[in-house]
Every structure is written in C-alpha cells, then in structure tokens.
Amino acid sequence: MIELDLDGKKVEVPEGSMIMHAADKAGTYIPHFCYHKKLSIAANCRMCLVEVEKAPKPMPACATPVTNGMVVRTKSDKAIKAQQSVMEFLLINHPLDCPICDQGGECQLQDLAVGYGASASRYEEEKRVVLHKDVGPLISMEEMSRCIHCTRCVRFGQELAGVMELGMIHRGEHSEITTVSGDTVDSEVSGNMIDLCPVGALLSKPFRYQARTWELARRKSVSPHDSTGANLIVQVKNNKVMRVLPLENEEVNECWLADRDRFSYEALDSTERLATPMIKHGGEWKSVDWQTALEYVANGLRHVKGDHGAKAIGALVSPHSTVEELYLAGALVRGLGSENVDYRLRNAQFARPEGVRWLGTSIASLANLQAALVVGSNLRKDHPLFAMRVRAATRKGAAVHVIHDQADDWAMAIASSTVAPASGWAQALADVAAAVAESKGSAAPAKGSASDAAKRIAQSLLSGERKAILLGNAAAHHANASGLLALANWIGAQTGATVGYLTEAANTVGAQLVKALPGGDGLNAGQMLAGGLKAAILLNVEPEFDAADGKKALAGLGQAEMVISMSPFKANMDIADVLLPIAPWTETPGTFVNAEGRVQSFHAVVKPLGEARPAWKVLRVIANTMGLPGFEFESAQEVLAAARGPQDVGATHVQGGVLSNATGAGIDVAAAAGKPASAAIYQLDGIVRRATSLQLTADGRRAAMAREETPA
C-alpha cells in the first residue's frame, strides 16, 4: 500500500493507483468528464487537473500514479484556476442550447459549468458545427456539435462491448466521433453509450423530446427478460413508463443494461395491449366485464372436468412470469385435480426434476474465470451482460472454448470453437472427456476421441483454479439435454470446474423453485402442446413464438375445447376462447429468481392499463370462483411467502441444497437430436417482440427475415 496526503488527509491505496482512485477512497470529488471507473484511462478532457507538490504544473488526477509521501491539493487556487481554464476551453465550441437539450437537468457539463465556468465567454469567433449521423433506431446522434471528445463511447465499445463501432477521426477542431463508414451501431449493449455520454451528444432516440428529467418519478425494478435479473430504474410520467435506466448493482449487472432491458418498455404502450377481458362469441371477439369473463372461465373448466376429467386441464406458463404467478397457476391446476403444468415450452426432452438447475456459480465470478467451456449458446445474443463478464475475463487472459452448431461472433477472443450439429454435441463433450481421462490416466465415461481440439479444451480446464462449464439455452432445450449435463458434470468433477446452466428467462430458476412442472402422471409441455388438453390456461405464453415448434403447437392447442389466454397483449386470438388482460411487470408486484439463485422482488411502478389486473389476483379469483380452498391471499407478499415457505421468507438467495445441477441420467452419445429451439435476442418474450425500436435494429430485422423464410 502507498500512503499520500490528499487535501490534508492521509490516504492509503494499492500501488499502481491513480490520484483519482485515492480521491474516490477518501470521498473527495474531483471534477472530470472522460474518466469512468469501468473504462481505461484516456486523460482526454483535463478537467481533473490538481496541484501536486513539487510538480511544475497541474497534473491530471486520472492519469497520475500515486507515490509514497505525495502531497495533492484538489481545492487549491492553482487547481481551481486550472480546472476553470479547462472549462473555458471546453465551452469554446459547445452550442449554448441547454433550453432544448434533452440532457438538460442531468448533464455533467452543465453541472460543472455552474461551479467552474465563467459568467461570459471571451471567445467571439464562430462555433464549429458537426453534422448529425443516423446510427440506427436506438441512439440519436443528431447533436454531435455538443460532443466534448471524452471518448467514453469509443472506449466502451472497444473494451466492454467488444465492438469498436464508434471512433474519432480528424484532428483539432475538426475532430469528431463517428462510425467512420456510415454504419449503424448494432451492439446488443449499445444503449450504455447514452448513459456514459456526459453531454447531450448521444441520446436515446425513443425517449428524445418525450419528457424532462425533472418531470420523471423514479422507481426501482427488475428486468423480466434474460436470467441476469438486471436491476432497473424505471422513470414514469403521468402513469406512463418513459425511460428505463440501470440501477447499479456490482453483483448483478454492474452499471450496465442490455438493450432489450433498456428499450423494451415501448411495448407497454403498444396498440396490441389488451385493456378489457374479451370472449369469442360466434367467431367474433366481444369485450365483457371481469365478472362475466371469470364466470365463463370457471364454467368452462367445470364442464371440461366433468366431461373429460381433471387430467384434461393444464397450464402452460412462461418463465418470464413472476414467482407469485407461477405458484398460483400450479396451485390452481393442482386444486382442480391435475398435474399438468409446465414452463419448459422450448424443450425437446422432459426429464423428471432432480434439482433446481442454475448457473453453478455467481454472476460476478464470470469476470474472473481463467477458463470456460460454453456449450449450445450464442452467449453474446442470449445473455449480453454475461457476455460482458466473460469478455472481461478474456481481457485478463482467460481461455474461452465453444461447442455450438454455428460459428458466432462473440466479440471476444475465443481460444477454440468446435462447430458441430446439435446431434454431435454429446460426442464433442465425450471427446473432451476422453482427453481429460487421458491426461489423468482414468477411464472415460463414454467412447470419445482425444482430438487436438478436445485436448486444448481439456488442458484449459485442467489448469488454473477458476473455470466453468456453461450450458446454454440450446443445450437446455436439446433432445439429449440430460446426456449433455451428465458429460459436463463428469468433466467438471475431473477438472474442478463448476457446471451450470445459463438459464433462458428471468424466472427459469424461480419456475423450478415453485414447481411449475408436471408432477406424478402430469403431462409435460410437449405433450400438452401436441394436443393432450381439452382446457388449456396460457399464462404469458404465445405458443406460435414460445414453443419449440410454433405451428404444431397452434395445431395441438386448436384441438382443445377451451383455451384461456392470460396476457398483457391481444395474443392467441386464433386459438383462444377468452382473453384475460393481465398486468406486465411494470404494473404488478412480483419476484424473479435469476440464474445465480438471487431472489429479487419489485413493486408496480404504474397503475394497470384499463381493466388489466395483476395475474396473481386473476388466478386467485378464478380459484375462489370455483370454490377451491387455500387461495385466501391479500397481497403478492403473502403469495411469495406461501411459494417459498416460511423458513425462506426474506432470504435474498435460494437457501440450502435446493440449487443442484447433479443428474443420475446415463450418457448416450449417439442419441438422435434435431436442431434445438432457441429464441433470437429480440424474440425472447412477448414484450421485446412488440418493442418497435428493438425490432428495427439489425438483430430485429434479421430475425424477422428468418421467420419469413421459414417454410410453412
């Protein structure tokens, strides 16, 4: 440790630290623009000039290493005058358009100009003008004359997103940030550049000119999309969600968001929102009141149970639903006498549950891995924030190996990539196991060939201390999913690597936790979607998009006598008999359990739209209408307590040995397998599918084209 004197205080920091780090530790604020704790040091803006004893001139705090006995003054006349001079230079060409700038009220330049700017400018020449750029549907670069060349956006793309989509060209007053070739910004985490920009140069295109920051109320929430469980600040005006920003949580999403977490809120005001219950009568949809709709549902379920038995009733539930909703959906079906409930809509194999499948390690630990083997995932698109963690590990020298059916661009250094059809993944893992066995002089669990590629993977996993085998969405949905897990577990046990699932949805772990799975002789999702039901409850599910085979799923559910669609949207109108409008995540309290088993509850941030109601209330009232016992819940908190059990109430993580990736399944390398179902980044759930700006991105357009090309 090194000790220095900072404004009269003794501060100790590790060797190699900068003055800025010492100031942060001491709680002393030094004005800055280009410095950011998550980015490399550029020392572009010079706003952080401070006085260092014995130095001939002020020094940039962000780029000056500390030394033993160093004396630093951040508030001396010399430091303040230097900072004021830098501010004068920064404002020379900056347009004075604060009244119309969307960044007004949360602009770093505006804030610091109050303290360090002069009351008038000595600059009388014309200000420079930088032409605007069109870089896609998410980021607005209409006002690039405001840019102060801090290069935060450039460094973010290069270092954290892995794609240097923005760069600086020319010199002096002609310098400008641009895409160089006029391309769009297509990174799946590009929206973070908006947060990083300290002025109004990069703005959110969907939010631009929608509201002033001081008009917005701020509410905490949790993302309902992938399994990161990103913490959010949802900003609201007049009972409408206007913007979504990251809430910093170092253990989960740091200070970042994936673009689908940031921009999917557009769907909440989609024209497809369902505002009143509707019943299909004579082939036409009619709006009705809640009492009529609920009685229609209750009577329909009674008739099906009377005519076909309780086992003809089932629920297909989305893992993007809350713990409370999933628990009550299962309780309703079981209360009727059926065990037909399942969340595994895209799975091809439906093994009996042996434990709650999870990541196998903490999210934060992904950034410190020394070796990783990822099977069946395009990590960058499936889990953008996990990819950022793994990318950080590769920058420290980690070796990442991939087994997948296509060579995806992960925007990071890949040590080896084994491209094989899904039917060959088990053999590829068996080859790795053979190479591990050869190195350790033990027997392999299955017949495999220790190829050069397998040996490279084995050597990586056998060396170092921090390593992981991660099974992606496609591996979880694989027809030989149990065999893949068994092989991964054997390799993990031999090499000391953790083994886990990346898990697809916001509540995949929570769905397992509350047993949204068939019990006893209950039908699994595949059987229900194939036509095994006479009455189907669809909770946040659109079979056409959420099932492994959408067309077959629609045909199978079309055979049912009654289909009840519970969705925030006008979904399933071709197959449903009744539509019940339920509240999306912004309009209901609830709980998600992320991939690492972290339990995160949230409150509603706005009132439900129209006649929409929280799904947990709708399920409770259906049960009450049918006279089922045990549904006397007054709040979402009571439902959560019943779902988790009294011993776990209040725990922030899933307790005990519930989380387990152990399996007793055998290994069948030759098991037949088709291509596993895996959703594109902006097709994951009903909300992102209806977010206009996300669908206009390169990824969104690519998915739309793929759907159009799919044969009927």
Side-chain angles (χ1 to χ4, degrees):
M1 300 292 283
I2 289 177
E3 185 178 87
L4 70 153
D5 182 305
L6 186 82
D7 290 338
K9 285 194 226 173
K10 297 295 182 186
V11 184
E12 281 194 353
V13 290
E15 188 175 355
S17 298
M18 303 295 163
I19 293 174
M20 186 72 81
H21 301 141
D24 286 343
K25 185 172 182 180
T28 299
Y29 178 72
I30 298 176
H32 60 273
F33 293 112
C34 67
Y35 172 78
H36 190 277
K37 63 183 178 181
K38 296 289 184 181
L39 301 174
S40 64
I41 291 168
N44 290 342
C45 71
R46 318 306 282 184
M47 190 66 211
C48 63
L49 292 176
V50 294
E51 181 182 359
V52 178
E53 193 174 85
K54 297 181 181 177
K57 58 183 179 180
M59 305 294 286
C62 68
T64 304
V66 296
T67 57
N68 254 326
M70 176 183 272
V71 178
V72 179
R73 298 288 175 262
T74 68
K75 303 288 190 297
S76 67
D77 286 345
K78 187 175 183 179
I80 296 295
K81 284 179 180 176
Q83 292 161 1
Q84 288 174 338
S85 296
V86 170
M87 177 59 72
E88 183 176 19
F89 276 115
L90 286 173
L91 293 176
I92 279 176
N93 274 306
H94 196 81
L96 302 179
D97 60 351
C98 294
I100 61 139
C101 179
D102 257 25
Q103 196 86 343
E106 55 185 8
C107 173
Q108 215 172 327
L109 182 66
Q110 192 178 54
D111 293 342
L112 291 180
V114 171
Y116 299 91
S119 58
S121 174
R122 293 183 288 174
Y123 187 75
E124 296 179 353
E125 287 76 17
E126 291 182 2
K127 290 180 181 284
R128 74 174 194 149
V129 174
V130 181
L131 294 178
H132 66 268
K133 287 95 179 167
D134 183 359
V135 294
L138 304 181
I139 299 177
S140 170
M141 294 179 72
E142 294 289 319
E143 306 291 346
M144 290 306 292
S145 297
R146 298 170 183 161
C147 178
I148 61 170
H149 306 149
C150 68
T151 69
R152 280 184 177 183
C153 57
V154 177
R155 284 175 284 148
F156 173 81
Q158 188 174 19
E159 299 163 12
L160 299 179
V163 186
M164 188 175 171
E165 295 178 296
L166 295 178
M168 183 182 288
I169 60 172
H170 306 313
R171 302 184 67 182
E173 70 170 9
H174 302 294
S175 299
E176 59 179 288
I177 300 291
T178 180
T179 57
V180 180
S181 60
D183 296 330
T184 54
V185 173
D186 297 322
S187 167
E188 61 286 343
V189 290
S190 64
N192 294 296
M193 296 179 188
I194 300 166
D195 295 338
L196 287 171
C197 184
V199 295
L202 303 184
L203 297 168
S204 167
K205 192 171 279 189
F207 174 70
R208 192 168 182 239
Y209 296 146
Q210 297 300 304
R212 287 297 198 175
T213 181
W214 54 83
E215 299 175 318
L216 303 174
R218 292 158 175 79
R219 308 280 187 268
K220 295 179 182 179
S221 194
V222 180
S223 171
H225 305 305
D226 66 34
S227 59
T228 308
N231 290 196
L232 312 175
I233 294 174
V234 182
Q235 298 189 327
V236 177
K237 177 184 177 184
N238 296 334
N239 202 50
K240 179 180 177 182
V241 175
M242 305 299 294
R243 185 167 61 165
V244 173
L245 298 174
L247 174 63
E248 186 168 352
N249 186 332
E250 280 297 314
E251 299 301 311
V252 182
N253 57 300
E254 302 176 272
C255 54
W256 314 122
L257 284 184
D259 287 350
R260 66 180 164 203
D261 301 327
R262 183 184 300 271
F263 296 106
S264 64
Y265 72 88
E266 284 187 296
L268 303 176
D269 294 301
S270 162
T271 55
E272 292 187 48
R273 277 298 300 270
L274 180 64
T276 60
M278 300 181 78
I279 293 175
K280 188 183 287 183
H281 183 72
E284 292 187 8
W285 286 101
K286 305 288 185 183
S287 295
V288 297
D289 58 53
W290 268 107
Q291 186 67 29
T292 302
L294 292 170
E295 288 178 358
Y296 180 87
V297 169
N299 289 333
L301 292 174
R302 286 193 195 101
H303 286 144
V304 169
K305 183 177 179 180
D307 294 344
H308 305 284
K311 293 181 180 179
I313 300 172
L316 292 157
V317 296
S318 168
H320 299 278
S321 300
T322 66
V323 163
E324 295 82 355
E325 294 163 358
L326 293 167
Y327 171 75
L328 286 180
L332 172 61
V333 171
R334 292 184 173 106
L336 292 170
S338 172
E339 287 289 341
N340 304 333
V341 57
D342 207 346
Y343 77 91
R344 300 168 297 178
L345 303 166
R346 294 189 176 101
N347 282 32
Q349 186 187 66
F350 299 93
R352 286 290 174 191
E354 299 175 78
V356 174
R357 306 309 193 200
W358 68 301
L359 187 61
T361 185
S362 68
I363 292 173
S365 70
L366 297 177
N368 296 312
L369 290 174
Q370 293 171 312
L373 170 59
V374 183
V375 182
S377 175
N378 179 356
L379 187 66
R380 179 182 167 192
K381 302 299 181 182
D382 292 346
H383 299 88
L385 296 182
F386 288 176
M388 287 182 70
R389 298 271 193 180
V390 176
R391 190 175 293 117
T394 63
R395 289 175 63 83
K396 298 177 212 169
V400 175
H401 304 271
V402 183
I403 297 175
H404 198 27
D405 59 3
Q406 54 193 24
D408 301 307
D409 178 10
W410 282 22
M412 68 178 79
I414 301 296
S416 75
S417 178
T418 302
V419 179
S423 57
W425 294 353
Q427 186 60 63
L429 278 176
D431 291 348
V432 175
V436 170
E438 184 179 287
S439 294
K440 301 196 72 172
S442 58
K447 187 176 181 180
S449 170
S451 63
D452 290 343
K455 286 178 180 177
R456 279 198 300 273
I457 297 172
Q459 192 56 46
S460 283
L461 294 176
L462 285 165
S463 61
E465 297 178 355
R466 302 181 301 276
K467 47 257 181 123
I469 301 171
L470 302 171
L471 301 173
N473 298 349
H477 303 156
H478 199 278
N480 190 17
S482 295
L484 295 176
L485 177 58
L487 278 164
N489 279 336
W490 188 91
I491 297 169
Q494 296 295 312
T495 62
T498 62
V499 177
Y501 283 98
L502 293 165
T503 70
E504 180 181 41
N507 217 12
T508 299
V509 174
Q512 299 171 79
L513 195 65
V514 299
K515 295 181 171 55
L517 293 159
D521 59 351
L523 301 179
N524 60 48
Q527 293 166 325
M528 287 190 271
L529 289 167
L533 299 177
K534 294 298 180 182
I537 300 170
L538 306 180
L539 175 60
N540 268 323
V541 169
E542 297 174 65
E544 181 180 359
F545 305 105
D546 296 330
D549 189 325
K551 291 181 174 63
K552 287 184 179 178
L554 291 177
L557 289 170
Q559 300 172 28
E561 293 179 10
M562 182 176 216
V563 175
I564 302 157
S565 177
M566 299 176 63
S567 171
F569 305 104
K570 296 172 183 174
N572 306 315
M573 298 185 80
D574 291 339
I575 57 171
D577 298 284
V578 56
L579 305 179
L580 302 180
I582 60 172
W585 106 101
T586 51
E587 300 170 14
T588 180
T591 304
F592 293 134
V593 184
N594 73 358
E596 66 178 1
R598 184 181 295 264
V599 181
Q600 301 186 108
S601 294
F602 53 90
H603 298 288
V605 299
V606 292
K607 295 176 183 177
L609 177 73
E611 293 297 311
R613 295 291 181 267
W616 72 267
K617 287 188 177 182
V618 176
L619 291 163
R620 180 200 66 187
V621 176
I622 292 173
N624 292 340
T625 303
M626 299 193 71
L628 301 180
F631 286 84
E632 296 75 30
F633 300 108
E634 294 297 325
S635 68
Q637 288 77 12
E638 289 182 21
V639 181
L640 179 63
R644 297 196 66 193
Q647 72 279 3
D648 290 336
V649 172
T652 58
H653 287 75
V654 177
Q655 300 295 295
V658 178
L659 299 175
S660 172
N661 293 315
T663 179
I667 298 171
D668 183 3
V669 173
K675 185 175 176 63
S678 190
I681 182 170
Y682 300 136
Q683 293 294 313
L684 185 62
D685 59 73
I687 294 176
V688 293
R689 286 194 289 265
R690 291 173 173 84
T692 305
S693 295
L694 292 178
Q695 297 308 317
L696 292 174
T697 62
D699 282 316
R701 296 195 309 272
R702 199 175 297 121
M705 289 174 62
R707 282 201 314 273
E708 291 172 4
E709 292 169 3
T710 302

